[in-house]
Amino acid sequence: MRASSVRELIARVDDVRTALVRAQQVRTLLVAAGVALAAAITLRAVLAAIGGASTSGSAQPIWLAVAALLGGALAWWRVRPRHAPTRTIAALWVEERLSTPPSFALVTLVEHADGSATELEGTPLAQASLQILQRAPVSDALAQLRWSAWRGPLLFAVAATVVLSVSSVWQGVVPARVREAIAGTQTNAADAPTPLGAWRVRITPPAYAGGSAQTLGDVATVSALAGSVVELQGEGAAPDVLTGRPSSPITQPVAAQSRDGNWSARVLADSAPTTLQVSRAGQSRLLVIEGHADTIPSVSLDAPVRDSVFREARGTLALAASARDDIGLTRAAFELIVSSGEGERFTVRTVSVGTTTWPTSARQRQATVRGTLDIATLKLIPGDIVHLRAVARDGHPSPSRDLGSSETRVFRIAKPNEYDSVAVEPAPPPEVDKSLLSQRMLLMLTEKLDKQQRRMVRADVVRESQKLARDQARLRLAVGDVIFQRLSGESSAEHAHFAGDGHDHGVDQQGGKLGVNSASSTGMLEEGNDSPVVAINKPLLEAYNAMWDAGRALEQGDPHGAIPPMRLALEAIERSRAASRVYLRGRPPQVIIDIAKVRLVGKDTGLMTQRSTRSALPRRDAERDARLVSIAQSLATAGGDAAIVAARQGAARDSLALLRVESLSDAPAFAESLGRVLTALERGEDLTPLLVDARRTLGNVERATVGRWSRVLPP
């Protein structure tokens, strides 16, 4: 190989690089020329359509030239090559497209031949690079590259040139025809659509609610039960109606019907706020529909007032309950769950007593249900436990509708081995016994759900599992109350227990679970302590923590994973019941405090508590505060045309209504204060104190830039 072979290879690579650069430049110029011609065509069409400039005037070429220059410059700026191909990129292009498979010898030669071309002469790298260029059809590949890069822009530029030439030939005919067509389609002022006026709102509740339709006047906000039909009525031609959520930019059209010079539009209210945007003749109005779901009945068990233990399964028990519903009650009853047996063998049955029904025409929003329970009819035996609650149902037709239920009372029949020779007052069953039965029932229900979940929809499995999780959480809190009551005399509901809280209970609450406090000075849970309380509390701690694990699994819709910890909790409760106990039968002694002894024994340091720094508003509240300030400033801008002022006031009213409906779910107090602002705006009253109150309710108490809010706009 001659001494100049490497330099010749580099020169051929440079030729390829130059061809690639020119292909990019020509493509950029073609795109710019096509866009410039398209801009000139668009401007000529606009001038011809509006008739604002003559197509034969001397000013038109200047405007066309300016449009073409701006369009071409913008296109060139957008598609110009940001980086020109380098020698290395050109060599890589040759190998990737013309060498199969690529050996990258030419790229390596180019990268190392800048200052050492002589040293590479005769090397295998130089020979391999020479073979690549000798075999590769570089000229054909470059021609194909140019055609693929220039074909689209060239066709676009040619088409634009043809259109511009044709439009120049017809420049004296097209504008006249366009103006004639526009003049023919113009309507008389009498035929123009009338602006939006007052409307009427008619709300028809669902059939099961049993109410009559309600007609309202020209209102901006209505409240409707989920399932109600909200009909908006007005006069004139049918407008454009859009419906959507306040928190979502997505809207859907609503068909508006026109009949006898009036129009109407209907939507179905649901449990979330909805907006209706009505537009016609350049005017727009907003109707906010505050949908709310039908609540389940609220039930309270009035009698019996406490849990009890009966010596014999006979006698009568007076039952009384109070029920309330927002629409009307249809059925109420007392439900009893009777559990018999012990150990691993027991039975459960459900009994209904004192069932009361109301017909559709005589529904009661508030009622008192009474009944009498003959204990002998339940055929109870010693050791049986009865769970009693009151339930009520409203007129909702859904079969999956939940019942309204009251708190549960528990009474049981005492066993013969519980009797003693001392006359004592009846006491309710121990919490441990109640927890044992409830945990066993929850375990059976969970196992049943685990077997059925293969045949159920996932959503139903999750819903039923979360119901069991709530029952498990209530039972876990009851067990926690027993633990803290025995250790410190206070239940866990009275205050939170954690490490370093100043209380010496022997246990700490960490991450939802209870653990032994090694620093406890009570010694209640130390090894070797033979206190009868210790033998019960240790298994209860295990049961509490196992219930926590079971509740976590049930909340996630995993009944199969909740079964092992539920069984552990049941075994721990069994061990607690088997421990030696100390029964405190009858009423505990009253603790008398010597007020004279403890009065004024504290010490006053004379130091005042330092005021803490106010934390910044959350991002959501800060955005709402900024929107409220912007609305207030737009309301404060007075003067100008009356129509402009009215339009500004209407826009501010709609903005306030949207802000209010967005805050209904998570900030009801702020939404209520905005409702007072809307009412005052309709009446033309002073808005300053109401707007300040709204900001204070939101959390921002600063009073800056609120002085000019006191201006009252004309109604």
Side-chain angles (χ1 to χ4, degrees), residues 293-599:
D294 179 16
T295 59
I296 63 175
S298 174
V299 187
S300 176
L301 185 60
D302 301 329
V305 296
R306 62 177 62 89
D307 301 341
S308 301
V309 176
F310 294 96
R311 185 181 184 92
E312 298 178 352
R314 64 179 182 178
T316 58
L317 190 64
L319 308 178
S322 301
R324 296 179 298 276
D325 188 68
D326 54 350
I327 295 179
L329 300 168
T330 58
R331 179 181 176 275
F334 297 96
E335 185 179 80
L336 297 90
I337 300 178
V338 183
S339 302
S340 302
E342 60 181 355
E344 296 297 331
R345 301 180 61 184
F346 66 95
T347 59
V348 179
R349 53 193 172 98
T350 303
V351 181
S352 295
V353 178
T355 303
T356 304
T357 58
W358 293 272
T360 305
S361 57
R363 290 179 179 175
Q364 302 291 329
R365 292 192 176 184
Q366 184 172 359
T368 300
V369 184
R370 300 185 183 277
T372 302
L373 173 62
D374 188 357
I375 301 178
T377 59
L378 298 179
K379 299 179 180 180
L380 303 177
I381 61 176
D384 287 358
I385 300 179
V386 180
H387 298 259
L388 169 65
R389 67 172 183 172
V391 296
R393 178 182 290 276
D394 57 6
H396 200 284
S398 175
S400 60
R401 176 77 165 179
D402 292 336
L403 292 173
S405 59
S406 67
E407 63 275 19
T408 303
R409 301 281 188 264
V410 180
F411 62 90
R412 69 180 179 91
I413 308 302
K415 298 179 180 180
N417 56 3
E418 298 179 12
Y419 303 151
D420 52 28
S421 59
V422 181
V424 296
E425 296 182 3
E431 292 291 339
V432 177
D433 293 347
K434 295 167 59 177
S435 302
L436 173 65
L437 177 61
S438 301
Q439 184 64 27
R440 194 182 304 279
M441 293 176 61
L442 287 177
L443 177 58
M444 292 182 63
L445 293 175
T446 304
E447 291 175 344
K448 182 179 179 181
L449 179 61
D450 182 33
K451 294 179 181 179
Q452 296 178 350
Q453 66 175 340
R454 298 184 185 137
R455 303 187 300 272
M456 298 173 61
V457 182
R458 178 59 183 171
D460 296 339
V461 174
V462 173
R463 184 176 64 253
E464 296 297 331
S465 179
Q466 290 178 351
K467 288 182 180 180
L468 295 175
R470 290 192 291 270
D471 295 337
Q472 183 68 82
R474 286 193 291 268
L475 182 59
R476 177 173 53 82
L477 293 178
V479 173
D481 290 341
V482 173
I483 296 173
F484 285 105
Q485 182 70 29
R486 289 173 174 172
L487 291 179
S488 60
E490 298 177 352
S491 64
S492 59
E494 295 180 2
H495 61 274
H497 298 270
F498 53 90
D501 61 353
H503 298 275
D504 193 8
H505 354 78
V507 292
D508 292 332
Q509 189 170 7
Q510 302 174 355
K513 294 186 177 182
L514 297 179
V516 178
N517 184 1
S518 59
S520 174
S521 61
T522 59
M524 296 294 292
L525 297 175
E526 296 176 357
E527 293 293 338
N529 195 326
D530 56 354
S531 171
V533 180
V534 176
I536 300 176
N537 283 342
K538 278 189 176 181
L540 287 182
L541 282 176
E542 298 177 8
Y544 185 93
N545 296 332
M547 290 178 183
W548 171 266
D549 295 333
R552 291 288 298 274
L554 290 173
E555 288 176 356
Q556 298 174 4
D558 183 14
H560 183 75
I563 293 176
M566 295 180 75
R567 289 175 176 171
L568 293 177
L570 184 61
E571 294 175 0
I573 296 176
E574 285 281 5
R575 292 197 306 271
S576 178
R577 294 179 69 248
S580 57
R581 310 183 184 185
V582 176
Y583 285 96
L584 303 178
R585 308 294 291 181
R587 295 181 179 177
Q590 295 183 358
V591 179
I592 302 177
I593 301 177
D594 189 352
I595 299 179
K597 183 178 180 181
V598 301
R599 179 176 295 170

Side-chain angles (χ1 to χ4, degrees), residues 240-260:
D240 297 330
V241 184
L242 298 176
T243 180
R245 301 292 186 190
S247 58
S248 175
I250 302 175
T251 58
Q252 296 180 354
V254 178
Q257 301 177 356
S258 180
R259 182 178 180 183
D260 299 334

Side-chain angles (χ1 to χ4, degrees), residues 201-206 208-209 214 216 221-231 267-274 287-294 326-327 664:
V201 181
R202 181 180 177 86
I203 304 175
T204 305
Y208 77 88
Q214 182 182 10
L216 305 176
T221 303
V222 296
S223 179
L225 179 67
S228 301
V229 177
V230 180
E231 182 179 6
V267 294
L268 189 66
D270 54 13
S271 58
T274 309
L287 175 66
V288 178
I289 303 175
E290 299 178 7
H292 56 87
D294 179 16
D326 54 350
I327 295 179
L664 283 173

Side-chain angles (χ1 to χ4, degrees), residues 61-315:
I62 300 176
W63 285 107
L64 294 179
V66 172
L69 182 61
L70 292 178
L74 180 60
W76 176 84
W77 178 262
R78 294 291 299 176
V79 301
R80 78 188 192 282
R82 298 301 191 272
H83 302 285
T86 61
R87 181 184 295 172
T88 303
I89 294 177
L92 184 62
W93 180 84
V94 172
E95 289 208 17
E96 287 182 345
R97 289 164 176 80
L98 304 177
S99 178
T100 306
S103 61
F104 303 103
L106 184 60
V107 177
T108 307
L109 179 68
V110 169
E111 290 180 348
H112 294 82
D114 292 337
S116 58
T118 305
E119 297 177 359
L120 296 176
E121 294 291 343
T123 60
L125 181 63
Q127 295 176 1
S129 302
L130 181 60
Q131 292 177 2
I132 291 174
L133 288 178
Q134 288 176 351
R135 294 196 309 265
V138 178
S139 301
D140 297 339
L142 288 175
Q144 185 179 2
L145 173 67
R146 295 189 189 96
W147 174 243
S148 61
W150 299 348
R151 179 177 52 192
L154 181 60
L155 293 176
F156 179 72
V158 171
T161 303
V162 172
V163 173
L164 186 61
S165 301
V166 173
S167 64
S168 300
V169 174
W170 293 90
Q171 62 181 356
V173 179
V174 174
R177 292 183 177 180
V178 171
R179 286 195 296 270
E180 291 175 1
I182 294 177
T185 57
Q186 289 179 348
T187 57
N188 297 328
D191 298 333
T194 58
L196 284 173
W199 61 35
R200 300 177 303 279
V201 181
R202 181 180 177 86
I203 304 175
T204 305
Y208 77 88
S212 58
Q214 182 182 10
T215 302
L216 305 176
D218 189 10
V219 296
T221 303
V222 296
S223 179
L225 179 67
S228 301
V229 177
V230 180
E231 182 179 6
L232 192 60
Q233 304 172 351
E235 299 178 354
D240 297 330
V241 184
L242 298 176
T243 180
R245 301 292 186 190
S247 58
S248 175
I250 302 175
T251 58
Q252 296 180 354
V254 178
Q257 301 177 356
S258 180
R259 182 178 180 183
D260 299 334
N262 297 325
W263 62 270
S264 63
R266 294 185 177 184
V267 294
L268 189 66
D270 54 13
S271 58
T274 309
T275 59
L276 286 181
Q277 186 77 29
V278 185
S279 304
R280 186 178 64 188
Q283 292 188 359
S284 177
R285 291 191 61 185
L286 188 69
L287 175 66
V288 178
I289 303 175
E290 299 178 7
H292 56 87
D294 179 16
T295 59
I296 63 175
S298 174
V299 187
S300 176
L301 185 60
D302 301 329
V305 296
R306 62 177 62 89
D307 301 341
S308 301
V309 176
F310 294 96
R311 185 181 184 92
E312 298 178 352
R314 64 179 182 178

